[in-house]
């Protein structure tokens, strides 16, 4: 247990060097800043509608994926760059436990950063219109989206040094491109799954006229199921690669 705990703590620290942490936190404060600037004279109902809009177009569709892909895609890339992966593999830890420790550390690090954005946006809304409950919903959706992205990009980062580039291409070309044009592809979009989980915690009438309502199933349960599937698949792939590929 101690080797796993030490590996987890070390991996979280590797994922959040000071400069990267400052840059990513700054990015995550953008949705709250946009919200404050655009809701100066709105009613409480209009303020909630703005929260949904900014959450969909900025927090979930942009900042959460970017942070998660950067951290998840570089989890094993850092080890390869520093030539420490083979050293870690020599520890008395099974390959599955190693994959789980690295993945959980990446999820923890990414969620810590993304939670800043979710809470900041929720506080901005609550301080202006008095609805602190949205913070819980935003946090739930943020965790689900973050964990799915990280679960997918950790094994991708093991395969290639270009995992972050590939992840960004998927985000902008498929999720914010093809899936926008073809709503049927929404189930393959992690940020939409996370956003649907958040949306399930607030007034669904806000989505009656929204294009998102046609392509999303507003359900926390389905979001958690998607997360579990992504996590299991990611762990299995990472474990297999740790067993079969050269770790030098």
């Amino acid at each position: 247990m101690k080797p796993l705990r030490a590996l987890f703590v070390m991996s979280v620290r590797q994922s959040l060097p000071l400069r990267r942490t400052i840059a990513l936190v700054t990015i995550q404060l953008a949705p709250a800043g946009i919200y404050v600037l655009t809701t100066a004279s709105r009613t409480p109902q209009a303020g909630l509608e703005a929260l949904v809009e900014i959450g969909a177009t900025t927090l979930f569709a942009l900042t959460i994926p970017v942070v998660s892909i950067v951290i998840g895609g570089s989890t094993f890339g850092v080890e390869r760059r520093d030539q420490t992966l083979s050293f870690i593999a020599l520890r008395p830890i099974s390959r599955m436990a190693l994959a789980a420790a690295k993945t959980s550390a990446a999820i923890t690090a990414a969620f810590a950063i993304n939670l800043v954005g979710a809470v900041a946006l929720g506080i901005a809304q609550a301080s202006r219109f008095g609805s602190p409950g949205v913070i819980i919903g935003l946090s739930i959706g943020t965790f689900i989206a973050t964990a799915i992205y990280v679960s997918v990009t950790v094994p991708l980062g093991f395969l290639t040094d270009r995992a972050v580039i590939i992840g960004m291409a998927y985000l902008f070309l498929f999720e914010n491109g093809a899936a926008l044009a073809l709503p049927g592809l929404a189930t393959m979009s992690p940020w939409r799954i996370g956003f649907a989980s958040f949306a399930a915690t607030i007034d669904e009438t806000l989505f009656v006229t929204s294009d998102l309502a046609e392509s999303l199933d507003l359900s926390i349960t389905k979001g958690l199921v998607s997360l579990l599937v992504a996590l299991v698949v990611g762990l299995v792939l990472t474990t297999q690669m740790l067993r079969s590929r050269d770790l030098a």
Side-chain angles (χ1 to χ4, degrees), residues 40-124:
S41 58
R42 296 197 184 189
T43 64
Q45 178 67 14
L48 190 56
E49 291 173 356
L51 177 76
V52 171
E53 181 181 354
I54 293 171
T57 59
T58 308
L59 180 67
F60 283 94
L62 184 60
T63 60
I64 287 175
V66 167
V67 171
S68 303
I69 290 169
V70 167
I71 292 178
S74 62
T75 296
F76 280 104
V78 172
E79 300 288 0
R80 287 190 176 280
R81 183 195 65 199
D82 296 341
Q83 298 182 338
T84 56
L85 187 54
S86 57
F87 172 75
I88 290 174
L90 292 175
R91 294 188 178 191
I93 304 173
S94 70
R95 294 295 189 261
M96 174 62 81
L98 174 57
K102 295 292 287 185
T103 300
S104 60
I107 290 173
T108 299
F111 180 58
I113 299 296
N114 288 335
L115 188 61
V116 171
V119 171
L121 180 58
I123 289 175

Side-chain angles (χ1 to χ4, degrees), residues 6 36 49 66-67 94 109 116 127 131 153 163 166-167 171 178 206 214-215 226 233 238:
V36 170
E49 291 173 356
V66 167
V67 171
S94 70
V116 171
S127 64
S131 301
T153 53
I166 294 171
L171 170 64
L206 293 170
E214 299 177 2
S215 58
S226 297
V233 171
T238 304

Side-chain angles (χ1 to χ4, degrees), residues 72-73 75-76 99 102-103 106 149-159 238:
T75 296
F76 280 104
K102 295 292 287 185
T103 300
Y149 276 114
V150 173
S151 297
V152 172
T153 53
V154 165
L156 183 62
F158 193 99
L159 282 172
T238 304

Side-chain angles (χ1 to χ4, degrees), residues 5-73:
R5 189 184 303 117
L7 178 60
F8 175 84
V9 172
M10 180 196 70
S11 298
V12 171
R13 289 175 177 171
Q14 280 183 327
S15 297
L16 296 176
L18 182 59
R19 290 184 180 180
R20 174 193 280 182
T21 300
I22 293 172
L24 295 181
V25 167
T26 301
I27 289 173
Q28 273 298 5
L29 291 176
I34 294 171
Y35 183 85
V36 170
L37 292 173
T38 57
T39 59
S41 58
R42 296 197 184 189
T43 64
Q45 178 67 14
L48 190 56
E49 291 173 356
L51 177 76
V52 171
E53 181 181 354
I54 293 171
T57 59
T58 308
L59 180 67
F60 283 94
L62 184 60
T63 60
I64 287 175
V66 167
V67 171
S68 303
I69 290 169
V70 167
I71 292 178

